[in-house]
Structure formats: structure tokens, C-alpha cells
Amino acid sequence: MSTPELSYEQARAELATVVEKLEAGGSTLEESLALWERGERLATVCQQWLDGARARLDAARTESE
Amino acid sequence: MTEAATTPPSTTPENPWPVRVVSQKIASWIARLGWIWVDGQIAQISRRPGASTVFLTLRDPSADLSLTVTTNRDVLDSGAPNLADGARVVVHAKPDFFPARGTLSLRADEIRQVGIGELLARIEHLKKLLRAEGLFDRARKRPLPFLPRRIGLITGRASAAERDVRDNARRRWPAIDFRIVNVAVQGPGAVPQILDALAVLDADDSVDVIVLARGGGSVEDLLPFSDEALCRAVFACRTPVVSAIGHETDVPLVDYVADLRASTPTDAAKRIVPDLAEEVRLIGGARQQLRRRVTQLLDREQQRLDAIRSRPVLARPEAMVDQRETEVRALRERGTRCLSHRLDRAGGELEHTLARLRALSPAATLQRGYAIVQRPDGAVVRSPDEVGAGDRLRVRLAGGELTATVEG
């Protein structure tokens, strides 16, 4: 699970898949927990990408002003 | 003639030619040219009062070359009475060597001033020729740089054209750099000076565009800008050339050859440099657009991510455990309920059994005054036959026991 190397799009796509699986149910508790943990990690990766992008945007803005 | 040029004359230091021989030989060579028609421009005219001979300086309109023409005052008066400096003439003359001074002149017997109509007809003719040669082809035009490092400007000294080009260009792009070459922009000498200036500016690597500017003027004033040599020089320039001659309506031939024709010097300034303020505004607009787009993109992605994260499976992961806990609790309750139900039922059965047990007990009967008689061995006596006199008996009453002896 090389999470940091995922692109934003990869992370988001996998996150959507994880959520669908969780919503479909039918997994064991152990599997569900593992899926949820993966989902949380993926959501964090997505958020990091977005935060990073915003920070870069702000930096560029400050620089040009 | 070829023989004369290649064969050295038979002269030695010991056997030189006297001046008169050389003079005579030159005169005879020159006389061979005979009568010719010469086209030129009057650079100078000197009529000396009283003198019958008039001296004219005839020069080439395109090059710094001139010849002296001598003629009779009558010839001048009959052919071109109002001849002035700068006029174009056609002269019928014979090259003439003047041995007394060793000078050469054209002795003219006919001088015709070339009228403006004919000059314009010549220009029309030249225009067709140059067009046929491809000097006006659109495909041969070089594009102007977006922002020239340096502008080469050829114009009259302290002229309005110079000011118009320079000031308007600086207004649009304050840091713009000029290399200005001042030349005569009309009359004899204009073409050679402009040709020199073109050569200098074209050779300067830092000059990215050359502007040829001149304010409005008469048709005669603008003639140099229809000169064939000038047109060809502009065509040969490696650097793009912008022509800005006269007013909107003036179209000298150089306008067709130039890479760009500006209608006026002010127009030229607009064409050669971009407007800094406008460019800054465009860049600012583009930058804003860029930011808006990126921000929109980020916001949209944030919404998508928020939507996913707000789905119950992620937003309330404890539901996953809660649900199972509920199931466990329900099962446990079912178990408990089931057990307690069974205990209740067991308790009921016990009571019932006890009641039945109690119902079967003789205690109540004894209470009513009955007694149970038992032999010492415990056997219940049901008939007098079962006992004999003197036997000891146990009598059980509701309140307790007593012993009795059988008397008979």
C-alpha cells in the first residue's frame, strides 16, 4: 500500500470503490474494518493533495502580488 | 579597345609621353563615345551674368555620382527655361575632354526638363517591372518582431516624422531603444544617404526592425521613395523594413516593397511596438482567469471529496460496530428472556407439585381430629385384628404424638 505515491485521481477513484463496497455490505467485520481504514487513508491522501494545491496557489499569489 | 586596356603603352622612364600626347589620346578615346542621351538630376546650376556658357552639375538620382554639363545659354533657355536644383532632365550631350585643364564635361546641345507627368509614368513603369520581379510578393515579406530590441529609424533631422515615431513608440513601450540615422529625405542626395543608412542599420545585429519615415510632401519631394535602387535595397535588407512615408494617400513604390506599410509615422509607431499597458492588462486578465479556473477546480474536487467522506460508511464508521453490537445485545436479551421464561415455568411447576404434595399430606385430616395409629414397627393399624391386648401403639395427632396400650 504505497499510499503517498497515489495521484489525487487514483486515490479518489479507489476511495469511491471502497465506499461502494462498504455500502454494499456483506463483508465480515474484519474485512469491513480494513476497508474503512483504507478509505480513511485514501480520504486523507485526497485532502493532502487538495491542501497542497491550495498552498501552492496561495504561495504563487503572494509571490506575484 | 580591349587591346588598349590590356597592352601596356610603350612608355619607359627614358621614353615617357609628353602631357600633350596623353591629353590628346584621352581626348580621342572620350570622343569615341559620341552623342548620347543622359538622364540625371540637376544638383547645381550656375548662370553667370553675361557669360554665354552655363555650367550644370548633373547627378545620378540613386548614387553619389555626378558629371559636369556645359551648354549654351540659348540651349537652356529654349529647352528648360525654369530649370532649378533637383529637377530631372534628359540631356543630349557629347562627352568632351577639356585639354587645357584636363577635365571632362558633357557638352549639351539639347536639354529637356522631365515633367512630373513623365516622372510618374516612369514610376508606373518601374512599378510593373518590380512587381513582375516579385519585389512586392506577400510571401517575401518578413514578419515584424513582437517586441524589437532596437528600432532603426531613418528620417530627416529633427523632423516631425522622427518625433512622431519616437514619441509614440515610447508612449506605448517606454523602454524601447532607437538607433536613429538622420538623412536628407528629399532632393538630390536623399537616395544615396538613405541607402547608406539602410546598409548601416541592416548590418547592426541589435536592430530588429528598420523604419523609413518621412512626413507629407509634394509629389516631387516623395520621388526618392520611388527610386529603383532604394526599392531594391529595401528588398535586399535582412532586417524587416517598415515604410511610413507621407500621408495616408501617398503610396511611393517603397511602400510596396517594404515588409509593412504604415500609413503615417504615428501609425508606424503603433505597428512596431506593442502597447505595454495593454499587454500588462491582458496578462493580468489571463492570470486572473487562470486563478479562477484552478480555484474552481479545487473547490469542485473538495466538494466531491466532502461528499464521499460524508457518506455514512465513512462519516459514521462506528455504525459498523454499533450495528453488530445491537445484534449482540438483541441476542443476549433473547437468551436472557428465554432462560428467565424457562425458570419462571420451572418455578410454577414446583409450586404446583408442592401444592399437590401438600394436598396429599394427612396433616389436614389430623387437624380435623383424626389420628393415625401405628405399631412400634411403624405399620399403620387399619383393623383391630392387627393388634392384641397389651400391644403398645403410637398415636399421631395433629398436635403431636402419644403412646397407648391396647386393653382388649
Side-chain angles (χ1 to χ4, degrees), chain B residues 171-204:
Chain B
R171 197 166 299 139
R172 291 168 67 81
W173 199 277
I176 201 71
D177 187 22
F178 276 96
R179 179 169 179 189
I180 298 174
V181 180
N182 290 123
V183 295
V185 289
Q186 67 190 64
V191 172
Q193 287 185 28
I194 295 171
L195 291 179
D196 285 348
L198 271 178
V200 166
L201 293 178
D202 195 30
D204 185 340

PDB file of all heavy atoms in Angstrom, chain B residues 171-204:
ATOM      1  N   ARG B 171       5.665  56.019 -25.916  1.00  0.00           N
ATOM      2  CA  ARG B 171       4.433  56.097 -25.130  1.00  0.00           C
ATOM      3  C   ARG B 171       3.857  54.701 -24.941  1.00  0.00           C
ATOM      4  O   ARG B 171       3.345  54.358 -23.902  1.00  0.00           O
ATOM      5  CB  ARG B 171       3.427  56.989 -25.857  1.00  0.00           C
ATOM      6  CG  ARG B 171       2.302  57.472 -24.982  1.00  0.00           C
ATOM      7  CD  ARG B 171       1.556  58.610 -25.646  1.00  0.00           C
ATOM      8  NE  ARG B 171       2.406  59.764 -25.885  1.00  0.00           N
ATOM      9  CZ  ARG B 171       2.385  60.506 -26.985  1.00  0.00           C
ATOM     10  NH1 ARG B 171       1.568  60.200 -27.974  1.00  0.00           N
ATOM     11  NH2 ARG B 171       3.161  61.553 -27.102  1.00  0.00           N
ATOM     12  N   ARG B 172       3.979  53.892 -25.983  1.00  0.00           N
ATOM     13  CA  ARG B 172       3.424  52.536 -25.905  1.00  0.00           C
ATOM     14  C   ARG B 172       4.335  51.618 -25.113  1.00  0.00           C
ATOM     15  O   ARG B 172       3.880  50.758 -24.374  1.00  0.00           O
ATOM     16  CB  ARG B 172       3.237  51.978 -27.316  1.00  0.00           C
ATOM     17  CG  ARG B 172       2.136  52.682 -28.084  1.00  0.00           C
ATOM     18  CD  ARG B 172       2.176  52.309 -29.545  1.00  0.00           C
ATOM     19  NE  ARG B 172       1.849  50.914 -29.789  1.00  0.00           N
ATOM     20  CZ  ARG B 172       0.613  50.454 -29.831  1.00  0.00           C
ATOM     21  NH1 ARG B 172      -0.403  51.251 -29.649  1.00  0.00           N
ATOM     22  NH2 ARG B 172       0.379  49.177 -30.052  1.00  0.00           N
ATOM     23  N   TRP B 173       5.645  51.766 -25.301  1.00  0.00           N
ATOM     24  CA  TRP B 173       6.592  50.871 -24.642  1.00  0.00           C
ATOM     25  C   TRP B 173       7.785  51.710 -24.196  1.00  0.00           C
ATOM     26  O   TRP B 173       8.739  51.891 -24.953  1.00  0.00           O
ATOM     27  CB  TRP B 173       7.032  49.766 -25.604  1.00  0.00           C
ATOM     28  CG  TRP B 173       7.614  48.603 -24.881  1.00  0.00           C
ATOM     29  CD1 TRP B 173       8.891  48.473 -24.427  1.00  0.00           C
ATOM     30  CD2 TRP B 173       6.937  47.399 -24.512  1.00  0.00           C
ATOM     31  NE1 TRP B 173       9.039  47.274 -23.785  1.00  0.00           N
ATOM     32  CE2 TRP B 173       7.861  46.599 -23.818  1.00  0.00           C
ATOM     33  CE3 TRP B 173       5.625  46.933 -24.675  1.00  0.00           C
ATOM     34  CZ2 TRP B 173       7.528  45.343 -23.308  1.00  0.00           C
ATOM     35  CZ3 TRP B 173       5.304  45.690 -24.175  1.00  0.00           C
ATOM     36  CH2 TRP B 173       6.240  44.904 -23.508  1.00  0.00           C
ATOM     37  N   PRO B 174       7.754  52.252 -22.968  1.00  0.00           N
ATOM     38  CA  PRO B 174       8.736  53.254 -22.544  1.00  0.00           C
ATOM     39  C   PRO B 174      10.198  52.813 -22.664  1.00  0.00           C
ATOM     40  O   PRO B 174      11.068  53.635 -22.902  1.00  0.00           O
ATOM     41  CB  PRO B 174       8.360  53.511 -21.084  1.00  0.00           C
ATOM     42  CG  PRO B 174       6.905  53.178 -21.011  1.00  0.00           C
ATOM     43  CD  PRO B 174       6.698  52.046 -21.965  1.00  0.00           C
ATOM     44  N   ALA B 175      10.464  51.513 -22.539  1.00  0.00           N
ATOM     45  CA  ALA B 175      11.871  51.081 -22.522  1.00  0.00           C
ATOM     46  C   ALA B 175      12.444  50.872 -23.925  1.00  0.00           C
ATOM     47  O   ALA B 175      13.579  50.437 -24.070  1.00  0.00           O
ATOM     48  CB  ALA B 175      11.983  49.791 -21.717  1.00  0.00           C
ATOM     49  N   ILE B 176      11.669  51.195 -24.946  1.00  0.00           N
ATOM     50  CA  ILE B 176      12.117  50.873 -26.307  1.00  0.00           C
ATOM     51  C   ILE B 176      13.365  51.686 -26.675  1.00  0.00           C
ATOM     52  O   ILE B 176      13.523  52.835 -26.274  1.00  0.00           O
ATOM     53  CB  ILE B 176      10.967  51.103 -27.321  1.00  0.00           C
ATOM     54  CG1 ILE B 176      11.236  50.302 -28.585  1.00  0.00           C
ATOM     55  CG2 ILE B 176      10.765  52.572 -27.640  1.00  0.00           C
ATOM     56  CD1 ILE B 176      11.067  48.822 -28.381  1.00  0.00           C
ATOM     57  N   ASP B 177      14.252  51.030 -27.423  1.00  0.00           N
ATOM     58  CA  ASP B 177      15.542  51.633 -27.757  1.00  0.00           C
ATOM     59  C   ASP B 177      15.577  51.944 -29.265  1.00  0.00           C
ATOM     60  O   ASP B 177      15.096  51.162 -30.070  1.00  0.00           O
ATOM     61  CB  ASP B 177      16.638  50.616 -27.398  1.00  0.00           C
ATOM     62  CG  ASP B 177      18.017  51.214 -27.537  1.00  0.00           C
ATOM     63  OD1 ASP B 177      18.135  52.455 -27.501  1.00  0.00           O
ATOM     64  OD2 ASP B 177      18.976  50.440 -27.678  1.00  0.00           O
ATOM     65  N   PHE B 178      16.149  53.100 -29.598  1.00  0.00           N
ATOM     66  CA  PHE B 178      16.219  53.512 -31.004  1.00  0.00           C
ATOM     67  C   PHE B 178      17.668  53.695 -31.450  1.00  0.00           C
ATOM     68  O   PHE B 178      18.527  54.086 -30.667  1.00  0.00           O
ATOM     69  CB  PHE B 178      15.530  54.876 -31.191  1.00  0.00           C
ATOM     70  CG  PHE B 178      14.042  54.778 -31.358  1.00  0.00           C
ATOM     71  CD1 PHE B 178      13.195  54.954 -30.270  1.00  0.00           C
ATOM     72  CD2 PHE B 178      13.490  54.520 -32.602  1.00  0.00           C
ATOM     73  CE1 PHE B 178      11.822  54.861 -30.429  1.00  0.00           C
ATOM     74  CE2 PHE B 178      12.121  54.436 -32.775  1.00  0.00           C
ATOM     75  CZ  PHE B 178      11.284  54.608 -31.678  1.00  0.00           C
ATOM     76  N   ARG B 179      17.899  53.395 -32.700  1.00  0.00           N
ATOM     77  CA  ARG B 179      19.130  53.881 -33.326  1.00  0.00           C
ATOM     78  C   ARG B 179      18.656  54.716 -34.508  1.00  0.00           C
ATOM     79  O   ARG B 179      18.102  54.183 -35.467  1.00  0.00           O
ATOM     80  CB  ARG B 179      20.004  52.721 -33.806  1.00  0.00           C
ATOM     81  CG  ARG B 179      21.257  53.247 -34.480  1.00  0.00           C
ATOM     82  CD  ARG B 179      22.288  52.188 -34.735  1.00  0.00           C
ATOM     83  NE  ARG B 179      23.433  52.797 -35.406  1.00  0.00           N
ATOM     84  CZ  ARG B 179      24.432  52.093 -35.919  1.00  0.00           C
ATOM     85  NH1 ARG B 179      24.443  50.784 -35.823  1.00  0.00           N
ATOM     86  NH2 ARG B 179      25.429  52.711 -36.521  1.00  0.00           N
ATOM     87  N   ILE B 180      18.850  56.019 -34.379  1.00  0.00           N
ATOM     88  CA  ILE B 180      18.302  56.939 -35.373  1.00  0.00           C
ATOM     89  C   ILE B 180      19.401  57.416 -36.311  1.00  0.00           C
ATOM     90  O   ILE B 180      20.478  57.824 -35.862  1.00  0.00           O
ATOM     91  CB  ILE B 180      17.628  58.140 -34.669  1.00  0.00           C
ATOM     92  CG1 ILE B 180      16.464  57.634 -33.807  1.00  0.00           C
ATOM     93  CG2 ILE B 180      17.133  59.161 -35.700  1.00  0.00           C
ATOM     94  CD1 ILE B 180      15.792  58.688 -32.954  1.00  0.00           C
ATOM     95  N   VAL B 181      19.152  57.299 -37.617  1.00  0.00           N
ATOM     96  CA  VAL B 181      20.092  57.828 -38.602  1.00  0.00           C
ATOM     97  C   VAL B 181      19.364  58.942 -39.354  1.00  0.00           C
ATOM     98  O   VAL B 181      18.327  58.707 -39.971  1.00  0.00           O
ATOM     99  CB  VAL B 181      20.547  56.740 -39.592  1.00  0.00           C
ATOM    100  CG1 VAL B 181      21.531  57.332 -40.595  1.00  0.00           C
ATOM    101  CG2 VAL B 181      21.185  55.573 -38.849  1.00  0.00           C
ATOM    102  N   ASN B 182      19.908  60.148 -39.252  1.00  0.00           N
ATOM    103  CA  ASN B 182      19.283  61.285 -39.931  1.00  0.00           C
ATOM    104  C   ASN B 182      19.839  61.415 -41.334  1.00  0.00           C
ATOM    105  O   ASN B 182      21.039  61.326 -41.552  1.00  0.00           O
ATOM    106  CB  ASN B 182      19.503  62.564 -39.136  1.00  0.00           C
ATOM    107  CG  ASN B 182      18.700  62.571 -37.850  1.00  0.00           C
ATOM    108  OD1 ASN B 182      19.243  62.708 -36.759  1.00  0.00           O
ATOM    109  ND2 ASN B 182      17.402  62.385 -37.966  1.00  0.00           N
ATOM    110  N   VAL B 183      18.928  61.618 -42.288  1.00  0.00           N
ATOM    111  CA  VAL B 183      19.319  61.717 -43.692  1.00  0.00           C
ATOM    112  C   VAL B 183      18.516  62.845 -44.343  1.00  0.00           C
ATOM    113  O   VAL B 183      17.560  63.344 -43.753  1.00  0.00           O
ATOM    114  CB  VAL B 183      18.999  60.410 -44.452  1.00  0.00           C
ATOM    115  CG1 VAL B 183      19.832  59.256 -43.935  1.00  0.00           C
ATOM    116  CG2 VAL B 183      17.512  60.086 -44.346  1.00  0.00           C
ATOM    117  N   ALA B 184      18.953  63.210 -45.559  1.00  0.00           N
ATOM    118  CA  ALA B 184      18.128  64.114 -46.357  1.00  0.00           C
ATOM    119  C   ALA B 184      16.981  63.269 -46.872  1.00  0.00           C
ATOM    120  O   ALA B 184      17.196  62.157 -47.341  1.00  0.00           O
ATOM    121  CB  ALA B 184      18.934  64.670 -47.520  1.00  0.00           C
ATOM    122  N   VAL B 185      15.747  63.732 -46.726  1.00  0.00           N
ATOM    123  CA  VAL B 185      14.623  62.920 -47.157  1.00  0.00           C
ATOM    124  C   VAL B 185      13.975  63.458 -48.425  1.00  0.00           C
ATOM    125  O   VAL B 185      12.913  63.035 -48.826  1.00  0.00           O
ATOM    126  CB  VAL B 185      13.552  62.780 -46.048  1.00  0.00           C
ATOM    127  CG1 VAL B 185      14.083  61.895 -44.927  1.00  0.00           C
ATOM    128  CG2 VAL B 185      13.141  64.144 -45.516  1.00  0.00           C
ATOM    129  N   GLN B 186      14.662  64.427 -49.060  1.00  0.00           N
ATOM    130  CA  GLN B 186      14.186  64.886 -50.359  1.00  0.00           C
ATOM    131  C   GLN B 186      15.355  65.512 -51.108  1.00  0.00           C
ATOM    132  O   GLN B 186      16.393  65.793 -50.504  1.00  0.00           O
ATOM    133  CB  GLN B 186      13.044  65.882 -50.212  1.00  0.00           C
ATOM    134  CG  GLN B 186      13.465  67.201 -49.576  1.00  0.00           C
ATOM    135  CD  GLN B 186      12.269  68.051 -49.236  1.00  0.00           C
ATOM    136  OE1 GLN B 186      11.456  67.667 -48.409  1.00  0.00           O
ATOM    137  NE2 GLN B 186      12.154  69.191 -49.877  1.00  0.00           N
ATOM    138  N   GLY B 187      15.167  65.672 -52.410  1.00  0.00           N
ATOM    139  CA  GLY B 187      16.189  66.323 -53.214  1.00  0.00           C
ATOM    140  C   GLY B 187      17.338  65.398 -53.540  1.00  0.00           C
ATOM    141  O   GLY B 187      17.380  64.246 -53.111  1.00  0.00           O
ATOM    142  N   PRO B 188      18.286  65.915 -54.306  1.00  0.00           N
ATOM    143  CA  PRO B 188      19.456  65.105 -54.669  1.00  0.00           C
ATOM    144  C   PRO B 188      20.210  64.759 -53.394  1.00  0.00           C
ATOM    145  O   PRO B 188      20.286  65.560 -52.487  1.00  0.00           O
ATOM    146  CB  PRO B 188      20.275  66.012 -55.580  1.00  0.00           C
ATOM    147  CG  PRO B 188      19.754  67.399 -55.333  1.00  0.00           C
ATOM    148  CD  PRO B 188      18.364  67.286 -54.809  1.00  0.00           C
ATOM    149  N   GLY B 189      20.732  63.578 -53.312  1.00  0.00           N
ATOM    150  CA  GLY B 189      21.441  63.183 -52.098  1.00  0.00           C
ATOM    151  C   GLY B 189      20.572  62.355 -51.175  1.00  0.00           C
ATOM    152  O   GLY B 189      21.085  61.616 -50.343  1.00  0.00           O
ATOM    153  N   ALA B 190      19.270  62.463 -51.299  1.00  0.00           N
ATOM    154  CA  ALA B 190      18.399  61.714 -50.403  1.00  0.00           C
ATOM    155  C   ALA B 190      18.612  60.212 -50.580  1.00  0.00           C
ATOM    156  O   ALA B 190      18.857  59.494 -49.603  1.00  0.00           O
ATOM    157  CB  ALA B 190      16.936  62.079 -50.668  1.00  0.00           C
ATOM    158  N   VAL B 191      18.537  59.735 -51.828  1.00  0.00           N
ATOM    159  CA  VAL B 191      18.636  58.292 -52.062  1.00  0.00           C
ATOM    160  C   VAL B 191      19.973  57.714 -51.594  1.00  0.00           C
ATOM    161  O   VAL B 191      19.997  56.748 -50.836  1.00  0.00           O
ATOM    162  CB  VAL B 191      18.334  57.953 -53.540  1.00  0.00           C
ATOM    163  CG1 VAL B 191      18.624  56.483 -53.809  1.00  0.00           C
ATOM    164  CG2 VAL B 191      16.880  58.281 -53.858  1.00  0.00           C
ATOM    165  N   PRO B 192      21.117  58.327 -52.002  1.00  0.00           N
ATOM    166  CA  PRO B 192      22.385  57.748 -51.526  1.00  0.00           C
ATOM    167  C   PRO B 192      22.487  57.719 -50.013  1.00  0.00           C
ATOM    168  O   PRO B 192      22.962  56.736 -49.430  1.00  0.00           O
ATOM    169  CB  PRO B 192      23.446  58.684 -52.134  1.00  0.00           C
ATOM    170  CG  PRO B 192      22.775  59.320 -53.295  1.00  0.00           C
ATOM    171  CD  PRO B 192      21.327  59.420 -52.954  1.00  0.00           C
ATOM    172  N   GLN B 193      22.001  58.778 -49.351  1.00  0.00           N
ATOM    173  CA  GLN B 193      22.087  58.798 -47.879  1.00  0.00           C
ATOM    174  C   GLN B 193      21.197  57.724 -47.252  1.00  0.00           C
ATOM    175  O   GLN B 193      21.577  57.071 -46.283  1.00  0.00           O
ATOM    176  CB  GLN B 193      21.669  60.175 -47.357  1.00  0.00           C
ATOM    177  CG  GLN B 193      22.726  61.240 -47.639  1.00  0.00           C
ATOM    178  CD  GLN B 193      22.355  62.578 -47.014  1.00  0.00           C
ATOM    179  OE1 GLN B 193      21.665  62.638 -46.002  1.00  0.00           O
ATOM    180  NE2 GLN B 193      22.827  63.654 -47.611  1.00  0.00           N
ATOM    181  N   ILE B 194      20.011  57.565 -47.834  1.00  0.00           N
ATOM    182  CA  ILE B 194      19.106  56.544 -47.290  1.00  0.00           C
ATOM    183  C   ILE B 194      19.702  55.154 -47.521  1.00  0.00           C
ATOM    184  O   ILE B 194      19.626  54.283 -46.648  1.00  0.00           O
ATOM    185  CB  ILE B 194      17.701  56.653 -47.926  1.00  0.00           C
ATOM    186  CG1 ILE B 194      17.061  57.991 -47.529  1.00  0.00           C
ATOM    187  CG2 ILE B 194      16.817  55.499 -47.486  1.00  0.00           C
ATOM    188  CD1 ILE B 194      15.769  58.309 -48.268  1.00  0.00           C
ATOM    189  N   LEU B 195      20.319  54.959 -48.676  1.00  0.00           N
ATOM    190  CA  LEU B 195      20.941  53.661 -48.962  1.00  0.00           C
ATOM    191  C   LEU B 195      22.036  53.357 -47.947  1.00  0.00           C
ATOM    192  O   LEU B 195      22.135  52.242 -47.443  1.00  0.00           O
ATOM    193  CB  LEU B 195      21.516  53.641 -50.392  1.00  0.00           C
ATOM    194  CG  LEU B 195      20.492  53.667 -51.526  1.00  0.00           C
ATOM    195  CD1 LEU B 195      21.212  53.660 -52.881  1.00  0.00           C
ATOM    196  CD2 LEU B 195      19.537  52.491 -51.437  1.00  0.00           C
ATOM    197  N   ASP B 196      22.859  54.371 -47.646  1.00  0.00           N
ATOM    198  CA  ASP B 196      23.933  54.196 -46.641  1.00  0.00           C
ATOM    199  C   ASP B 196      23.326  53.837 -45.293  1.00  0.00           C
ATOM    200  O   ASP B 196      23.782  52.918 -44.596  1.00  0.00           O
ATOM    201  CB  ASP B 196      24.734  55.492 -46.486  1.00  0.00           C
ATOM    202  CG  ASP B 196      25.679  55.708 -47.671  1.00  0.00           C
ATOM    203  OD1 ASP B 196      25.846  54.756 -48.454  1.00  0.00           O
ATOM    204  OD2 ASP B 196      26.229  56.826 -47.779  1.00  0.00           O
ATOM    205  N   ALA B 197      22.287  54.587 -44.911  1.00  0.00           N
ATOM    206  CA  ALA B 197      21.662  54.361 -43.612  1.00  0.00           C
ATOM    207  C   ALA B 197      21.080  52.952 -43.525  1.00  0.00           C
ATOM    208  O   ALA B 197      21.230  52.262 -42.511  1.00  0.00           O
ATOM    209  CB  ALA B 197      20.563  55.398 -43.384  1.00  0.00           C
ATOM    210  N   LEU B 198      20.437  52.507 -44.611  1.00  0.00           N
ATOM    211  CA  LEU B 198      19.880  51.149 -44.647  1.00  0.00           C
ATOM    212  C   LEU B 198      20.969  50.109 -44.430  1.00  0.00           C
ATOM    213  O   LEU B 198      20.806  49.167 -43.667  1.00  0.00           O
ATOM    214  CB  LEU B 198      19.214  50.887 -46.006  1.00  0.00           C
ATOM    215  CG  LEU B 198      17.741  51.255 -46.169  1.00  0.00           C
ATOM    216  CD1 LEU B 198      17.315  50.958 -47.607  1.00  0.00           C
ATOM    217  CD2 LEU B 198      16.859  50.473 -45.201  1.00  0.00           C
ATOM    218  N   ALA B 199      22.093  50.328 -45.121  1.00  0.00           N
ATOM    219  CA  ALA B 199      23.199  49.370 -45.020  1.00  0.00           C
ATOM    220  C   ALA B 199      23.727  49.308 -43.589  1.00  0.00           C
ATOM    221  O   ALA B 199      23.974  48.227 -43.040  1.00  0.00           O
ATOM    222  CB  ALA B 199      24.310  49.760 -45.983  1.00  0.00           C
ATOM    223  N   VAL B 200      23.872  50.483 -42.978  1.00  0.00           N
ATOM    224  CA  VAL B 200      24.403  50.543 -41.600  1.00  0.00           C
ATOM    225  C   VAL B 200      23.454  49.828 -40.631  1.00  0.00           C
ATOM    226  O   VAL B 200      23.858  48.999 -39.823  1.00  0.00           O
ATOM    227  CB  VAL B 200      24.589  52.017 -41.164  1.00  0.00           C
ATOM    228  CG1 VAL B 200      24.812  52.121 -39.661  1.00  0.00           C
ATOM    229  CG2 VAL B 200      25.763  52.637 -41.929  1.00  0.00           C
ATOM    230  N   LEU B 201      22.172  50.145 -40.732  1.00  0.00           N
ATOM    231  CA  LEU B 201      21.200  49.584 -39.793  1.00  0.00           C
ATOM    232  C   LEU B 201      20.982  48.093 -40.037  1.00  0.00           C
ATOM    233  O   LEU B 201      20.801  47.319 -39.107  1.00  0.00           O
ATOM    234  CB  LEU B 201      19.871  50.333 -39.884  1.00  0.00           C
ATOM    235  CG  LEU B 201      19.925  51.787 -39.407  1.00  0.00           C
ATOM    236  CD1 LEU B 201      18.573  52.450 -39.584  1.00  0.00           C
ATOM    237  CD2 LEU B 201      20.358  51.863 -37.944  1.00  0.00           C
ATOM    238  N   ASP B 202      21.023  47.690 -41.304  1.00  0.00           N
ATOM    239  CA  ASP B 202      20.828  46.269 -41.611  1.00  0.00           C
ATOM    240  C   ASP B 202      22.002  45.448 -41.082  1.00  0.00           C
ATOM    241  O   ASP B 202      21.839  44.292 -40.711  1.00  0.00           O
ATOM    242  CB  ASP B 202      20.674  46.080 -43.128  1.00  0.00           C
ATOM    243  CG  ASP B 202      20.108  44.709 -43.483  1.00  0.00           C
ATOM    244  OD1 ASP B 202      19.327  44.174 -42.655  1.00  0.00           O
ATOM    245  OD2 ASP B 202      20.424  44.188 -44.554  1.00  0.00           O
ATOM    246  N   ALA B 203      23.177  46.072 -41.025  1.00  0.00           N
ATOM    247  CA  ALA B 203      24.368  45.363 -40.545  1.00  0.00           C
ATOM    248  C   ALA B 203      24.409  45.319 -39.017  1.00  0.00           C
ATOM    249  O   ALA B 203      25.158  44.538 -38.435  1.00  0.00           O
ATOM    250  CB  ALA B 203      25.624  46.046 -41.082  1.00  0.00           C
ATOM    251  N   ASP B 204      23.604  46.136 -38.361  1.00  0.00           N
ATOM    252  CA  ASP B 204      23.598  46.196 -36.885  1.00  0.00           C
ATOM    253  C   ASP B 204      22.688  45.083 -36.357  1.00  0.00           C
ATOM    254  O   ASP B 204      21.478  45.109 -36.552  1.00  0.00           O
ATOM    255  CB  ASP B 204      23.070  47.577 -36.449  1.00  0.00           C
ATOM    256  CG  ASP B 204      23.138  47.756 -34.936  1.00  0.00           C
ATOM    257  OD1 ASP B 204      23.221  46.735 -34.209  1.00  0.00           O
ATOM    258  OD2 ASP B 204      23.103  48.913 -34.487  1.00  0.00           O
TER     259      ASP B 204
END
